[in-house]
Amino acid sequence: LAPALAGLRQFAGEHAVVGHNIAFDLAFLKRHGVLAQNPAVDTFELASILLPEAPRYSLSALAERLGIDLPVHHRALEDAVATKDLFLALLERGLEMDLEVLQEITRLASRSQWSLRSVFRELERERARTASAGTIRAQLLEKGRLDRAAMGLVLGRRPQDPPLRPTGARTAIDGEALA
């Protein structure tokens, strides 16, 4: 157990830990002195705010609702990948919120130790940065000139790329071309 915990500690560093219904897992890790100081983002809590209409907030229910692939439930790797995809989908949902709502959430959260405070602060910053593009976005979508995938290109966001998979082959990088 000690080598695995040391590897996790090194891998995570000081970065935020994202998980679904994460309290149990973090309690175990903190008892072993791992990730005790890392910020935590619970996708269960985030989904309860960004998807208030969802009838259930289990990982499998949210994955199904948002079209996230989760072929096997309650397997560590599959759940971790689905949680990552859920987190990214929830961030996209958060970026669709009105800027004023995000500002109010951030204002209220600034006086607390709420674990999602930094998530909403970043959502507000990104939404404020693209606020003027939101008007263009709404106009173009309304006129049917762009679909949602093409709109991502206009706003500098790319549609979700498929995950990289190792090929087993090595390809040298041309340093001059890269520069």
Side-chain angles (χ1 to χ4, degrees):
L1 182 62
L5 292 173
L8 179 60
R9 183 182 296 115
Q10 182 179 2
F11 173 76
E14 295 179 8
H15 297 286
V17 178
V18 176
H20 193 75
N21 213 359
I22 198 171
F24 175 80
D25 300 307
L26 282 180
F28 170 81
L29 293 169
K30 286 179 182 181
R31 276 195 309 271
H32 294 296
V34 179
L35 308 180
Q37 301 302 315
N38 294 61
V41 176
D42 191 338
T43 54
F44 181 97
E45 183 180 8
L46 189 58
S48 71
I49 296 164
L50 297 174
L51 297 170
E53 73 282 1
R56 295 179 299 129
Y57 293 97
S58 68
L59 180 59
S60 59
L62 290 169
E64 182 179 335
R65 182 173 188 82
L66 296 173
I68 295 168
D69 190 35
L70 183 57
V72 181
H73 303 150
H74 304 294
R75 304 299 303 169
L77 182 58
E78 288 83 358
D79 284 359
V81 171
T83 299
K84 180 256 317 170
D85 292 340
L86 173 60
F87 178 63
L88 294 175
L90 291 172
L91 291 179
E92 286 297 319
R93 179 67 65 107
L95 288 172
E96 294 173 0
M97 293 178 73
D98 287 335
L99 178 58
E100 294 80 15
V101 173
L102 288 170
Q103 288 169 334
E104 183 64 11
I105 292 171
T106 301
R107 185 185 68 75
L108 293 170
S110 69
R111 297 182 232 153
S112 73
Q113 295 300 313
W114 186 36
S115 61
L116 296 179
R117 179 180 62 196
S118 62
V119 172
F120 280 95
R121 184 176 58 237
E122 290 304 316
L123 284 171
E124 178 194 348
R125 285 180 185 158
E126 180 63 17
R127 187 69 178 92
R129 190 180 71 76
T130 60
S132 61
T135 304
I136 296 168
R137 174 184 186 204
Q139 290 175 7
L140 291 174
L141 283 172
E142 187 176 303
K143 292 178 182 178
R145 305 253 187 220
L146 292 172
D147 61 15
R148 292 198 179 275
M151 185 54 73
L153 296 173
V154 171
L155 297 178
R157 288 192 212 128
R158 298 183 344 208
Q160 178 92 18
D161 290 331
L164 296 176
R165 304 266 186 239
T167 63
R170 293 182 179 217
T171 305
I173 296 176
D174 180 355
E176 289 295 315
L178 184 61

